[in-house]
Amino acid sequence: MFHDYGVINFWTFLAGALVIVMIPGPNSLYVLRTGISRGMRAAYRGVAGVVLGDMFLIFLAWAGIATLIQASPHVFTAVKYLGALFLSWLGIKIIWSALRQPPQDAPVPAVRQENYFLKALMLSITNPKSILFYVSFFIQFIDPATAHSALAFSVLGAVLQLISLSWMTFLLLTGAAVARWLGTRRRLVALVNSLTGLLFIGFAARLAATQS
């Protein structure tokens, strides 16, 4: 069935995609943190940003941009450090916000609005390793003899996004339960947010240290 669309070894792809999506990363962590601290509506704005960013990366992989980045050390380095800087900035911002939590008996301040969609989108598209992943992973499951590689990329991309949406929905439902349990425990919320910020800084350091 899937071979008609230029896709080979579909079930192997499905198993690999499930494992890859469930590995913790900046995207899922940001969506989970947003769901816990800002609610489901804000979190799904982040989910929409992640999905659009992944679709854009899949398009770049199909268009051959990933190969260009891999072949050009200067381009790869520039994109890599841009992604690391963004992750560091986001991590520091999360930690700073957590440290500025008011005292336990203080009134709850108004929630400052932020563009969750845009931040999640930037998280998706500023990681060069994600671009290279899409071309190196997807290409293994596309029939080299197919005359419609765009269709094959679309089928695999749709399946991957369906898995990603399902997994992030599960994370959000889990996060909603955690948020209800946290309730007014502001110090614990601040600790969770601080740890999240540190993880983002760790992701940035790991990205900056990677080689093309």
PDB file of all heavy atoms in Angstrom, residues 14 16 25 39 69 95 103 110 114 149 155 160 185:
ATOM      1  N   LEU A  14       7.691   3.490  11.258  1.00  0.00           N
ATOM      2  CA  LEU A  14       6.735   3.760  12.327  1.00  0.00           C
ATOM      3  C   LEU A  14       7.345   3.481  13.695  1.00  0.00           C
ATOM      4  O   LEU A  14       7.201   4.289  14.628  1.00  0.00           O
ATOM      5  CB  LEU A  14       5.476   2.915  12.120  1.00  0.00           C
ATOM      6  CG  LEU A  14       4.328   3.164  13.103  1.00  0.00           C
ATOM      7  CD1 LEU A  14       3.816   4.592  12.979  1.00  0.00           C
ATOM      8  CD2 LEU A  14       3.192   2.174  12.839  1.00  0.00           C
ATOM      9  N   GLY A  16      10.560   3.421  14.472  1.00  0.00           N
ATOM     10  CA  GLY A  16      11.600   4.413  14.728  1.00  0.00           C
ATOM     11  C   GLY A  16      11.025   5.767  15.088  1.00  0.00           C
ATOM     12  O   GLY A  16      11.537   6.462  15.984  1.00  0.00           O
ATOM     13  N   GLY A  25      12.883  16.370  24.405  1.00  0.00           N
ATOM     14  CA  GLY A  25      13.618  17.395  23.679  1.00  0.00           C
ATOM     15  C   GLY A  25      13.042  18.763  23.992  1.00  0.00           C
ATOM     16  O   GLY A  25      12.048  18.883  24.725  1.00  0.00           O
ATOM     17  N   GLY A  39      -1.708  26.578  31.134  1.00  0.00           N
ATOM     18  CA  GLY A  39      -2.972  25.966  30.766  1.00  0.00           C
ATOM     19  C   GLY A  39      -2.961  25.354  29.368  1.00  0.00           C
ATOM     20  O   GLY A  39      -2.051  25.561  28.565  1.00  0.00           O
ATOM     21  N   ILE A  69      23.287  22.546   4.177  1.00  0.00           N
ATOM     22  CA  ILE A  69      23.780  22.868   5.509  1.00  0.00           C
ATOM     23  C   ILE A  69      24.858  21.879   5.935  1.00  0.00           C
ATOM     24  O   ILE A  69      25.882  22.252   6.508  1.00  0.00           O
ATOM     25  CB  ILE A  69      22.611  22.874   6.519  1.00  0.00           C
ATOM     26  CG1 ILE A  69      21.679  24.053   6.223  1.00  0.00           C
ATOM     27  CG2 ILE A  69      23.115  22.952   7.957  1.00  0.00           C
ATOM     28  CD1 ILE A  69      20.446  24.092   7.107  1.00  0.00           C
ATOM     29  N   ILE A  95      14.047  30.768  33.955  1.00  0.00           N
ATOM     30  CA  ILE A  95      14.614  30.787  35.306  1.00  0.00           C
ATOM     31  C   ILE A  95      14.360  32.137  35.979  1.00  0.00           C
ATOM     32  O   ILE A  95      13.974  32.208  37.156  1.00  0.00           O
ATOM     33  CB  ILE A  95      16.119  30.479  35.261  1.00  0.00           C
ATOM     34  CG1 ILE A  95      16.351  29.040  34.794  1.00  0.00           C
ATOM     35  CG2 ILE A  95      16.766  30.703  36.627  1.00  0.00           C
ATOM     36  CD1 ILE A  95      17.805  28.699  34.557  1.00  0.00           C
ATOM     37  N   PRO A 103       5.935  36.140  47.166  1.00  0.00           N
ATOM     38  CA  PRO A 103       5.824  35.309  48.370  1.00  0.00           C
ATOM     39  C   PRO A 103       4.548  34.481  48.375  1.00  0.00           C
ATOM     40  O   PRO A 103       3.579  34.802  47.686  1.00  0.00           O
ATOM     41  CB  PRO A 103       5.821  36.341  49.512  1.00  0.00           C
ATOM     42  CG  PRO A 103       6.464  37.559  48.927  1.00  0.00           C
ATOM     43  CD  PRO A 103       6.094  37.560  47.480  1.00  0.00           C
ATOM     44  N   ALA A 110      -1.203  39.034  37.733  1.00  0.00           N
ATOM     45  CA  ALA A 110      -1.773  38.748  36.415  1.00  0.00           C
ATOM     46  C   ALA A 110      -0.727  38.053  35.552  1.00  0.00           C
ATOM     47  O   ALA A 110       0.461  38.370  35.600  1.00  0.00           O
ATOM     48  CB  ALA A 110      -2.226  40.045  35.748  1.00  0.00           C
ATOM     49  N   GLU A 114       2.467  35.859  26.472  1.00  0.00           N
ATOM     50  CA  GLU A 114       3.600  35.713  25.571  1.00  0.00           C
ATOM     51  C   GLU A 114       3.148  34.940  24.340  1.00  0.00           C
ATOM     52  O   GLU A 114       2.090  34.311  24.347  1.00  0.00           O
ATOM     53  CB  GLU A 114       4.756  34.991  26.264  1.00  0.00           C
ATOM     54  CG  GLU A 114       4.414  33.601  26.777  1.00  0.00           C
ATOM     55  CD  GLU A 114       5.603  32.941  27.464  1.00  0.00           C
ATOM     56  OE1 GLU A 114       6.481  32.430  26.745  1.00  0.00           O
ATOM     57  OE2 GLU A 114       5.649  32.947  28.697  1.00  0.00           O
ATOM     58  N   SER A 149       8.891  12.022  -5.019  1.00  0.00           N
ATOM     59  CA  SER A 149       9.484  12.088  -3.686  1.00  0.00           C
ATOM     60  C   SER A 149       8.708  13.030  -2.764  1.00  0.00           C
ATOM     61  O   SER A 149       8.658  12.818  -1.551  1.00  0.00           O
ATOM     62  CB  SER A 149      10.945  12.530  -3.781  1.00  0.00           C
ATOM     63  OG  SER A 149      11.047  13.821  -4.362  1.00  0.00           O
ATOM     64  N   VAL A 155       3.689  11.820   3.010  1.00  0.00           N
ATOM     65  CA  VAL A 155       3.093  10.693   3.739  1.00  0.00           C
ATOM     66  C   VAL A 155       3.847  10.446   5.038  1.00  0.00           C
ATOM     67  O   VAL A 155       3.248  10.332   6.118  1.00  0.00           O
ATOM     68  CB  VAL A 155       3.100   9.424   2.864  1.00  0.00           C
ATOM     69  CG1 VAL A 155       2.720   8.202   3.696  1.00  0.00           C
ATOM     70  CG2 VAL A 155       2.143   9.586   1.691  1.00  0.00           C
ATOM     71  N   LEU A 160       4.425  11.136  10.995  1.00  0.00           N
ATOM     72  CA  LEU A 160       5.248  11.613  12.101  1.00  0.00           C
ATOM     73  C   LEU A 160       4.523  12.682  12.912  1.00  0.00           C
ATOM     74  O   LEU A 160       4.566  12.687  14.147  1.00  0.00           O
ATOM     75  CB  LEU A 160       6.570  12.163  11.565  1.00  0.00           C
ATOM     76  CG  LEU A 160       7.585  12.597  12.625  1.00  0.00           C
ATOM     77  CD1 LEU A 160       8.046  11.403  13.444  1.00  0.00           C
ATOM     78  CD2 LEU A 160       8.784  13.283  11.980  1.00  0.00           C
ATOM     79  N   ARG A 185       0.960  25.788  45.180  1.00  0.00           N
ATOM     80  CA  ARG A 185       2.311  25.527  45.684  1.00  0.00           C
ATOM     81  C   ARG A 185       3.319  26.284  44.822  1.00  0.00           C
ATOM     82  O   ARG A 185       3.971  25.725  43.952  1.00  0.00           O
ATOM     83  CB  ARG A 185       2.603  24.014  45.672  1.00  0.00           C
ATOM     84  CG  ARG A 185       1.679  23.194  46.584  1.00  0.00           C
ATOM     85  CD  ARG A 185       1.969  21.704  46.385  1.00  0.00           C
ATOM     86  NE  ARG A 185       1.198  20.866  47.294  1.00  0.00           N
ATOM     87  CZ  ARG A 185      -0.030  20.425  47.054  1.00  0.00           C
ATOM     88  NH1 ARG A 185      -0.642  20.782  45.914  1.00  0.00           N
ATOM     89  NH2 ARG A 185      -0.661  19.676  47.916  1.00  0.00           N
TER      90      ARG A 185
END
